[in-house]
Amino acid sequence: MKHESISKRDMKRYQLQAKSIIETLPFITEFFGKTLVIKYGGNAMIDEDLKRAFALNVILLKYIGINVVVVHGGGPQIGKMLTALNIESHFREGYRVTDEATMDVVEMVLVGKVNKEIVNLINLNGGQAVGLSGKDGRLITAEPKELAIEKDNAPPEIIDLGKVGEVTSVNTRLLESLMRDSFIPVIAPVGVDEEGVTYNINADSVAGAVATALKAKRLYLLTDVPGLLDADGELVTSLTAKEAFEAIRSGVVTGGMIPKIKCCLEAVAGVEKSAIIDGRVENCILLELFTKSGIGTEIVY
């Protein structure tokens, strides 16, 4: 097939594209053969353009030799289904109190709907994804989450969250086997205990536990904010673990950012770096991974 002539304008554009590819080479070299764990949630799971961009980012990383494990949330989808079924939902300290009926809906939505939609999206765009829950191959072993609220001059209040759990172990053999065979594991945050009881687990916590167990190179938490903002509203690009603890203690970190920072802190002892990045930015994963400055807040040990 004969090449068509290229205009000077197109040649300039192609040269810039080639230069951009070459500039990623040091990063590809650094991350080749390593593992990246991504917690996928927020608007990146809702906006159609962002969903496709996420799938393409993950597929590209796999094709250039970087192992990717995806852990997803699904809170809004669960809430919508509970409302449709007239099941009342309660939250305590940011956790959805999960009784038997709610747990059935959580599992149905996360494992049967959201997980398969993500897997299908990746597969339709040229990747090879496999959907998993904690029950598959005993991937995630869990136990009931204990939550105590400290009170002044009184014993702490013990809150019963029902079937809300926390991770006790991760079956890395299953994930490593899938990654060796060029699959992208996509994990729904549902775990099971030694007696076979099913638990609803915070997706950030599952991502952190999976990243630590796999000794991942990076843990990325996709959010609907740019990252951690300081008192002046400016993005904090990097924090040490000590600085992150102090930011929580001093009140710089508030609200929903607290559990995300804590998740990064728990993971950072086994993971080289964790980062909170804005999932509303198209190609946010590539921008964080393949640029010197990144786009979010990184936490290092």
Side-chain angles (χ1 to χ4, degrees):
M1 181 177 178
K2 187 177 180 180
H3 286 295
E4 295 181 5
S5 61
I6 302 175
S7 68
K8 289 183 179 180
R9 183 177 179 181
D10 284 342
M11 177 61 78
K12 186 68 174 177
R13 179 163 57 89
Y14 295 153
Q15 286 175 328
L16 287 172
Q17 290 176 347
K19 184 179 179 182
S20 296
I21 294 170
I22 292 297
E23 287 174 348
T24 66
L25 183 57
F27 301 101
I28 294 173
T29 302
E30 180 183 0
F31 289 98
F32 183 82
K34 302 297 192 299
T35 299
L36 175 67
V37 176
I38 303 169
K39 187 275 178 150
Y40 179 45
N43 200 52
M45 284 181 65
I46 300 171
D47 182 276
E48 291 300 322
D49 290 336
L50 293 176
K51 285 165 63 175
R52 185 168 186 272
F54 172 81
L56 293 175
N57 279 210
V58 168
I59 293 164
L60 174 62
L61 294 178
K62 188 64 180 178
Y63 272 119
I64 62 175
I66 300 173
N67 293 314
V68 181
V69 178
V70 177
V71 178
H72 66 82
Q77 294 91 330
I78 293 169
K80 185 177 180 180
M81 182 61 73
L82 288 170
T83 299
L85 296 173
N86 293 316
I87 298 175
E88 196 170 352
S89 194
H90 301 282
F91 287 85
R92 293 297 305 272
E93 302 301 314
Y95 293 95
R96 188 189 303 274
V97 178
T98 307
D99 58 15
E100 290 283 357
T102 303
M103 187 65 239
D104 286 344
V105 174
V106 167
E107 188 170 14
M108 176 179 67
V109 172
L110 289 180
V111 181
K113 186 175 189 296
V114 177
N115 185 271
K116 301 314 172 192
E117 287 176 353
I118 298 169
V119 167
N120 194 44
L121 180 67
I122 293 172
N123 290 344
L124 285 175
N125 282 281
Q128 293 188 98
V130 174
L132 302 165
S133 80
K135 290 183 174 180
D136 295 309
R138 295 193 69 84
L139 174 62
I140 300 171
T141 304
E143 64 183 10
K145 183 171 182 61
E146 297 181 357
L147 185 62
I149 305 301
E150 298 293 336
K151 294 188 173 183
D152 293 335
N153 303 316
E157 178 189 2
I158 306 301
I159 297 176
D160 182 7
L161 296 171
K163 297 298 178 64
V164 174
E166 54 189 1
V167 180
T168 57
S169 66
V170 176
N171 179 1
T172 57
R173 288 175 51 243
L174 175 57
L175 297 175
E176 288 165 351
S177 176
L178 288 169
M179 289 188 290
R180 277 196 304 271
D181 286 339
S182 299
F183 289 103
I184 300 167
V186 179
I187 303 172
V190 172
V192 63
D193 69 11
E194 299 295 342
E195 304 301 320
V197 178
T198 307
Y199 291 93
N200 175 24
I201 310 175
N202 176 271
D204 291 341
S205 297
V206 172
V210 169
T212 301
L214 288 172
K215 297 181 173 59
K217 181 82 169 175
R218 291 285 189 276
L219 166 65
Y220 289 159
L221 305 181
L222 271 59
T223 68
D224 285 341
V225 294
L228 176 63
L229 305 179
D230 63 18
D232 297 321
E234 297 295 323
L235 178 67
V236 178
T237 57
S238 185
L239 285 171
T240 64
K242 182 179 179 180
E243 289 169 338
F245 277 119
E246 177 57 26
I248 294 174
R249 190 199 65 77
S250 65
V252 172
V253 181
T254 59
M257 188 59 68
I258 293 176
K260 293 188 182 300
I261 295 290
K262 287 184 174 179
C263 171
C264 290
L265 286 170
E266 290 169 2
V268 80
V271 177
E272 187 178 278
K273 286 184 183 179
S274 300
I276 298 168
I277 59 178
D278 194 343
R280 300 169 301 176
V281 176
E282 191 171 4
N283 299 316
C284 61
I285 298 168
L286 299 184
L287 290 170
E288 174 65 26
L289 194 63
F290 292 153
T291 60
K292 290 182 179 180
S293 59
I295 64 167
T297 299
E298 68 173 17
I299 298 176
V300 297
Y301 190 67

